[in-house]
């Protein structure tokens, strides 16, 4: 069963998205739209 992870903006730190994580040890990084920054930025998996 995949685990649920929270994605946070790398620039401002706002937690905007949730998604299903992977089973690997690497943290998930996706390019998503941040409403606070008003731009597409990298969003990283948080703990």
């Amino acid at each position: 069963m995949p685990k649920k992870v929270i994605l946070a903006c790398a620039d401002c730190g706002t937690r905007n998205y949730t998604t299903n994580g992977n089973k690997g040890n690497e943290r998930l990084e996706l390019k998503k739209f941040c409403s606070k920054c008003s731009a597409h930025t990298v969003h990283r998996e948080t703990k």
Side-chain angles (χ1 to χ4, degrees):
M1 181 171 203
K3 64 177 184 173
K4 193 174 185 181
V5 295
I6 299 170
L7 300 178
C9 179
D11 293 341
C12 67
T14 305
R15 295 175 180 210
N16 298 326
Y17 295 97
T18 59
T19 186
N20 293 328
N22 54 359
K23 292 183 179 181
N25 292 337
E26 296 180 21
R27 291 218 174 161
L28 188 63
E29 287 189 1
L30 297 173
K31 203 162 192 179
K32 298 283 225 173
F33 183 79
C34 178
S35 57
K36 189 172 181 183
C37 297
S38 297
H40 284 85
T41 59
V42 174
H43 283 67
R44 293 190 180 112
E45 178 181 337
T46 59
K47 287 189 175 182

